[in-house]
Amino acid sequence: MGRKKKTLHDYAAEFSELAVKRHLLERGAAGEAAVVETLYCTSCQLPMRVRRDRILEHLSSGRHYRNRRLLRQHGLRAPLLLSAGPDVGAGLPLQLDTPSLLSQPSFVLAASAGSGMVPSPPSYHKPLVPLHAVSVAVPREDPAPSTSASHPSAPTAFPTRIAPAPSKPAGQQGLAAEARDGPAPAARHGGHIGLALFGVGLLNKALFQSLLEENGCCLLYVVEDQLEEVEQAFGAEFLAGTRVLRQQDADVALNDQRVSGAIICSPPEEASELVIDALRAGKGVFCERLPSFDRQTAEACFDEADRCGRPLVCGFYKRFDPALQFLYKKVRGSQALGRIHRISTISSMYPAASLSFLKTSGGIFYNAAVHDIDIASLLLGESAPDTIFSLGHAFCADMAYLKDADTVAVSMKFPSGAIVTVDVRQHCTTSCDQRLEVHGSQGTLRVDNQNPLGITEHGTAVSIYPQTQADRYRDAHRELFRHFLRTLKGKEPPVITKEQFLWTIQVAAAAEQSWRNGSAVDLRNAAADPSVIKTEIM
């Protein structure tokens, strides 16, 4: 039997940007009514051909991207369609085998009566579209070497959505076009590398300190709508040479050729589009958190970095911790422990993150557990476990309201037979507890809590030295930031490869899926079917 032909509703279910519209038509003199269904794009209000290649081409087109961003920027539900001709709608039902309106330029009208038409720039599509849709971008004539392909680790480490600025006249777009012509060397401003920071509210304190202390860079732009947060984070003296922009003017920073790198501190659900925009503007990108929860979207970000020849560095900061680096060299380099039997990690975050942050962080598996999963995989030299099982609970009422857990235990068994346990607490904590043990056939190594007093406490009512998460990993964040600056200078490639990142978020997704379903997840066939996707927190 042949394969069942997909219906319009099948395509609408597969692609979140599509929907099925019903038209009531009258036929003949008797006025007989007939209902005709048409597949159309909800953002552009354009009828679509029922062909996968045409759908993917449209969803990855510049006009679709601009329409969707303008809708979100102005709070509209659907744009008004400016017909390409007086008979555009008269021919419905649409002849699906004939050229559709996709060959015509599309525009959207803003909500205000006096607004003009806005043409679409090149950009990107939503996560549900398969990855190969992004390949419609025109390849560069002289691409730089890949920054995300697998490669050995460098010696120094282990192997809010931003709205666009209003459309500019053609004469004012030369700077952006020139910035996208090809990979540019690190832009210098007064002998320093020029940077732009996008988002301040979620900026990690340790990274913030590195920005203030690092002498090899210059912060030229801060893009943030909440100006009071900028004033609280940065002093007037530090911002003397920095221009503060609102999100709608982000293109000003991206189009400035003095800017060599973009530091993105937006929530993962919003960061991917800005990552793509910055890469296409010729900037190297440091994504302080995750570029996306979705595997296909994250993969598209790394692929875009390859095409643009610019580095994309992700914030797996624990790789750069000096103690963990030393442990890695002993375990993987000199094989001091022999064959690894078991790894155990404990991470208790202090101080507890705010609820506003936890709402956008993706939950405990993506905000906290993902870093320990990354470290365990590196120490074992294995990309993913065979099986994974998670238990968790929300002891805090606020976390239960978010349908997230504040305490989880993740157990994993890897192909080598090694067993890994990851214990994480991210809320209602009273101290920073960061420990890791590696047990092998020839001994055990342990990374314990660190404090300058050298005193170990058990059961004390008040912490002797209340170390924070930022204090514990200050050196790690500093080295990660310096690694990003070195990638901008072309001295080294990003040590976090695309393959490593994708496997890590897939394991985190499987851990969350196990917790929510109450059953183990088998990842042995994940390479052939990478369909594990972030579970939405309502």
Side-chain angles (χ1 to χ4, degrees):
M1 295 179 61
R3 187 172 56 181
K4 181 181 177 182
K5 185 176 181 180
K6 298 186 69 172
T7 66
L8 301 183
H9 293 276
D10 291 334
Y11 283 106
E14 180 179 357
F15 299 100
S16 61
E17 298 286 344
L18 304 184
V20 177
K21 181 182 291 185
R22 306 185 72 182
H23 306 274
L24 184 63
L25 302 180
E26 293 185 359
R27 296 180 177 177
E32 297 178 356
V35 177
V36 177
E37 293 183 336
T38 303
L39 187 67
Y40 78 107
C41 174
T42 56
S43 298
C44 304
Q45 293 288 290
L46 287 177
M48 304 291 299
R49 277 190 178 186
V50 189
R51 283 179 47 181
R52 175 175 291 273
D53 58 339
R54 293 296 187 183
I55 292 174
L56 296 178
E57 179 181 359
H58 173 73
L59 293 179
S60 62
S61 67
R63 58 176 170 270
H64 172 77
Y65 173 78
R66 172 56 65 89
N67 288 348
R68 180 158 50 84
R69 293 189 69 173
L70 287 177
L71 286 178
R72 294 181 181 179
Q73 179 181 350
H74 297 290
L76 302 178
R77 290 188 176 182
L80 299 176
L81 175 64
L82 182 66
S83 300
D87 300 327
V88 167
L92 293 176
L94 182 67
Q95 299 298 320
L96 299 179
D97 293 332
T98 60
S100 69
L101 289 179
L102 293 181
S103 60
Q104 302 292 336
S106 64
F107 303 91
V108 293
L109 299 179
S112 59
S115 61
M117 295 175 291
V118 184
S120 304
S123 193
Y124 184 59
H125 56 83
K126 292 298 285 183
L128 288 180
V129 180
L131 172 64
H132 56 268
V134 184
S135 63
V136 298
V138 178
R140 300 179 181 276
E141 295 181 0
D142 186 21
S146 168
T147 59
S148 64
S150 296
H151 50 72
S153 301
T156 57
F158 300 146
T160 96
R161 188 182 148 83
I162 305 299
S167 178
K168 308 174 182 62
Q172 300 179 11
Q173 296 178 354
L175 189 60
E178 186 177 352
R180 293 181 175 92
D181 283 343
R188 300 301 182 97
H189 179 68
H192 297 79
I193 296 178
L195 300 175
L197 173 64
F198 295 84
V200 173
L202 300 181
L203 178 63
N204 182 280
K205 290 184 178 180
L207 174 61
F208 167 73
Q209 194 67 27
S210 299
L211 269 173
L212 296 180
E213 297 175 352
E214 189 62 40
N215 295 324
C217 62
C218 178
L219 187 61
L220 299 179
Y221 294 95
V222 174
V223 182
E224 174 62 60
D225 278 342
Q226 305 299 325
L227 300 183
E228 61 275 8
E229 293 186 356
V230 180
E231 296 174 356
Q232 293 174 4
F234 299 96
E237 180 179 355
F238 181 81
L239 292 175
T242 303
R243 183 177 178 184
V244 180
L245 302 173
R246 293 189 180 274
Q247 291 184 350
Q248 65 180 6
D249 300 320
D251 286 350
V252 175
L254 293 179
N255 294 340
D256 191 337
Q257 290 187 338
R258 298 177 302 162
V259 175
S260 177
I263 303 172
I264 299 176
C265 300
S266 303
E269 288 185 341
E270 304 173 3
S272 59
E273 293 182 2
L274 187 54
V275 169
I276 295 291
D277 287 346
L279 291 170
R280 291 180 176 176
K283 318 301 180 188
V285 174
F286 174 35
C287 199
E288 199 265 338
R289 301 197 178 276
L290 305 181
S292 178
F293 297 132
D294 180 78
R295 179 186 175 95
Q296 292 177 337
T297 306
E299 189 172 5
C301 291
F302 280 94
D303 289 342
E304 190 65 31
D306 284 345
R307 281 190 289 271
C308 297
R310 303 302 296 153
L312 172 56
V313 175
C314 297
F316 284 171
Y317 62 91
K318 288 191 176 182
R319 292 185 176 216
F320 296 84
D321 179 66
L324 294 179
Q325 285 186 342
F326 179 83
L327 181 66
Y328 174 82
K329 293 178 182 177
K330 289 294 183 181
V331 172
R332 299 294 301 165
S334 60
Q335 301 287 320
L337 300 182
R339 182 178 180 181
I340 303 303
H341 294 169
R342 188 171 181 273
I343 296 178
S344 175
T345 71
I346 296 176
S347 295
S348 181
M349 321 288 283
Y350 179 80
S354 65
L355 289 180
S356 60
F357 169 81
L358 294 176
K359 286 180 181 179
T360 60
S361 66
I364 189 170
F365 293 94
Y366 286 86
N367 178 49
V370 68
H371 297 285
D372 292 328
I373 293 172
D374 175 55
I375 290 298
S377 298
L378 285 168
L379 291 175
L380 291 174
E382 300 177 78
S383 58
D386 285 341
T387 56
I388 183 168
F389 179 71
S390 303
L391 293 173
H393 187 72
F395 290 96
C396 302
D398 291 335
M399 300 305 299
Y401 174 76
L402 294 177
K403 297 183 180 180
D404 194 12
D406 52 50
T407 302
V408 297
V410 182
S411 297
M412 299 176 283
K413 184 176 182 181
F414 282 76
S416 64
I419 296 175
V420 175
T421 58
V422 174
D423 297 329
V424 181
R425 296 183 65 202
Q426 73 166 0
H427 200 54
C428 296
T429 54
T430 58
S431 63
C432 177
D433 189 2
Q434 300 288 316
R435 288 174 285 162
L436 185 146
E437 287 185 353
V438 183
H439 303 268
S441 60
Q442 299 179 18
T444 299
L445 288 176
R446 173 172 177 169
V447 177
D448 215 334
N449 289 314
Q450 303 175 7
N451 68 71
L453 300 177
I455 299 176
T456 302
E457 53 182 307
H458 296 284
T460 55
V462 179
S463 178
I464 296 176
Y465 183 76
Q467 188 182 44
T468 66
Q469 190 81 1
D471 292 335
R472 168 61 183 86
Y473 290 105
R474 186 179 306 279
D475 291 339
H477 283 281
R478 181 186 297 112
E479 289 306 312
L480 173 58
F481 182 64
R482 289 174 176 174
H483 166 64
F484 172 60
L485 296 181
R486 290 192 294 268
T487 64
L488 294 179
K489 298 176 182 178
K491 293 184 177 180
E492 62 190 42
V495 299
I496 304 166
T497 67
K498 177 178 74 172
E499 291 75 16
Q500 291 171 343
F501 179 85
L502 295 180
W503 272 114
T504 302
I505 63 171
Q506 183 160 346
V507 173
E512 184 184 41
Q513 178 183 331
S514 173
W515 168 59
R516 295 191 181 277
N517 296 341
S519 60
V521 175
D522 191 333
L523 287 177
R524 280 172 286 193
N525 296 324
D529 183 22
S531 58
V532 179
I533 296 178
K534 163 81 174 71
T535 303
E536 293 296 334
I537 299 177
M538 303 302 293

